[in-house]
Amino acid sequence: MTDSWSVAGRTFNSRLIVGTGKYKDFEQNAAALEASGAQIVTVAVRRVNVSDPSAPMLTDYIDPKKITYLPNTAGCFTGDEAIRTLRLAREAGGWDLVKLEVLGEAKTLYPDMRETLKATEILAKEGFLPMVYCADDPIAAKQLEDAGAVAIMPLGAPIGSGLGLQNKVMIRLIVEGAKVPVLVDAGVGTASDASVAMELGCDGVLMNTAIAEAKDPVMMAGAMKLAVQSGRAAYLAGRMGRRQYADPSSPLAGLI
Amino acid sequence: MSSSDLISIQLNGENRSFEGPLTLLELIETLGLKPNKVAVERNMEIVPRSTLADVQCADGDALEIVHFVGGG
């Protein structure tokens, strides 16, 4: 079964987006990416090391012609910083599909939605296609969509926490209200968390630490691939209704 | 070489001196970087890659040269 999804007119078969941070080395990162089946990776924009220009580069291990690079604004605490970062990213890579995140504070890495909304508007006007990391707020999600976000990416739990989805009701409400794709971005800790996100009807899941900090990142990447597929299939299949009490699976008629 | 040939640049936050005249493209190559893998911001403005060979480094320029690294 092909079950593709589209963001800003681009179609992908994998609903898993993976980060490229925190890996032991580029080889492990590339192997995990392969096992995950992901077609999009998030990347950060940073100063080049001018004292060691021959240091290996991400692009030597993950081919931007085969894998879609999604530049992020990780570490930006104002909209202006984020916009500046993405302008550089567009010049460096030529890509207009970007991940906007404007953080509110270091402790929680929770998004600053006022700055995020302002930056989304400006980026959209400049021709960017921003996929936006955001709070699990259905109203903010609608405002982002109106401002030009091409995807809504609420957190399921704090970035890097691995706590799993703490806000299933809010994620579902965002999914029901959105006309653009919704992806859970941040909070996934293990495979079942990814399935939960997909079972809620999300279009995809974005994760980094859950794979990179697993004892075996390549095996976990494979597990995440299956979890996303399985959660998606369960969503499409339509789960049974919930009952408050038991309902026997074997017939009552003909009991001896 | 007289001191007037030296251009002082703030490069990725560090003060550096280079022998001038020097275009941005020449600077990137002098640093051993590949122009097609980086982006340059000069005094807070993006320099399009196609114009790197046309822009001269000026004394006091603040340059940021960035590339993609792993991130989530």
Side-chain angles (χ1 to χ4, degrees):
Chain A
M1 177 186 84
T2 50
D3 174 40
S4 61
W5 69 289
S6 296
V7 57
R10 287 151 220 214
T11 301
F12 300 94
N13 294 319
S14 170
R15 293 173 178 271
L16 177 56
I17 299 178
V18 296
T20 54
K22 298 183 177 174
Y23 285 95
K24 182 170 61 108
D25 50 39
F26 287 128
E27 280 89 354
Q28 186 190 62
N29 189 346
L33 170 62
E34 175 79 27
S36 76
Q39 295 169 298
I40 304 176
V41 293
T42 56
V43 295
V45 179
R46 292 292 181 268
R47 288 170 165 172
V48 297
N49 183 351
V50 286
S51 53
D52 185 13
S54 62
M57 290 169 82
L58 184 68
T59 43
D60 299 331
Y61 291 83
I62 297 173
D63 185 353
K65 291 191 186 72
K66 292 181 186 149
I67 299 290
T68 298
Y69 271 44
L70 186 69
N72 72 20
T73 61
C76 292
F77 286 83
T78 68
D80 288 343
E81 286 169 25
I83 292 164
R84 186 180 170 207
T85 299
L86 290 176
R87 285 177 185 149
L88 276 165
R90 179 156 67 177
E91 189 54 37
W95 308 304
D96 45 16
L97 190 66
V98 295
K99 173 183 162 180
L100 173 69
E101 61 181 283
V102 185
L103 304 171
E105 60 173 11
K107 184 181 176 184
T108 60
L109 298 180
Y110 205 78
D112 179 331
M113 288 311 297
R114 192 173 56 175
E115 288 289 301
T116 300
L117 192 58
K118 275 197 298 189
T120 301
E121 274 173 9
I122 294 168
L123 288 168
K125 277 187 192 130
E126 291 188 14
F128 285 94
L129 303 166
M131 299 173 70
V132 184
Y133 166 69
C134 60
D136 56 354
D137 173 345
I139 306 305
K142 285 209 171 76
Q143 291 167 341
L144 285 175
E145 206 176 305
D146 292 341
V150 299
I152 304 295
M153 305 207 291
L155 76 171
I159 292 173
S161 70
L163 289 170
L165 270 70
Q166 300 296 309
N167 47 7
K168 292 195 279 184
V169 174
M170 306 318 290
I171 299 286
R172 177 180 57 80
L173 290 175
I174 292 172
V175 168
E176 286 176 7
K179 293 183 200 72
V180 297
V182 176
L183 297 90
V184 163
D185 177 2
V188 166
T190 189
S192 52
D193 300 332
S195 293
V196 167
M198 297 309 297
E199 286 167 5
L200 290 170
C202 288
D203 296 276
V205 183
L206 195 162
M207 65 181 72
N208 191 153
T209 313
I211 296 174
E213 285 188 3
K215 288 197 175 62
D216 184 335
V218 178
M219 188 182 277
M220 185 59 88
M224 290 299 183
K225 175 183 181 175
L226 296 173
V228 167
Q229 288 174 345
S230 128
R232 175 66 182 171
Y235 170 73
L236 292 175
R239 61 154 295 145
M240 63 167 279
R242 288 179 171 85
R243 294 189 183 93
Q244 293 298 323
Y245 299 99
D247 183 57
S249 299
S250 304
L252 295 174
L255 268 171
I256 56 167
Chain B
M1 186 177 76
S2 73
S3 61
S4 61
D5 295 324
L6 276 182
I7 308 169
S8 290
I9 293 170
Q10 197 183 61
L11 177 61
N12 286 357
E14 285 178 34
N15 291 316
R16 299 276 299 260
S17 293
F18 295 90
E19 209 174 307
L22 189 69
T23 66
L24 283 176
L25 183 64
E26 285 163 347
L27 172 70
I28 289 165
E29 284 167 348
T30 303
L31 293 168
L33 300 168
K34 296 192 179 89
N36 62 342
K37 291 196 171 172
V38 299
V40 183
E41 187 194 74
R42 177 174 176 250
N43 304 329
M44 301 293 285
E45 284 195 17
I46 301 280
V47 182
R49 188 174 286 150
S50 56
T51 67
L52 288 175
D54 307 323
V55 179
Q56 292 289 334
C57 295
D59 201 55
D61 273 355
L63 299 180
E64 293 287 345
I65 305 182
V66 303
H67 68 157
F68 292 111
V69 302

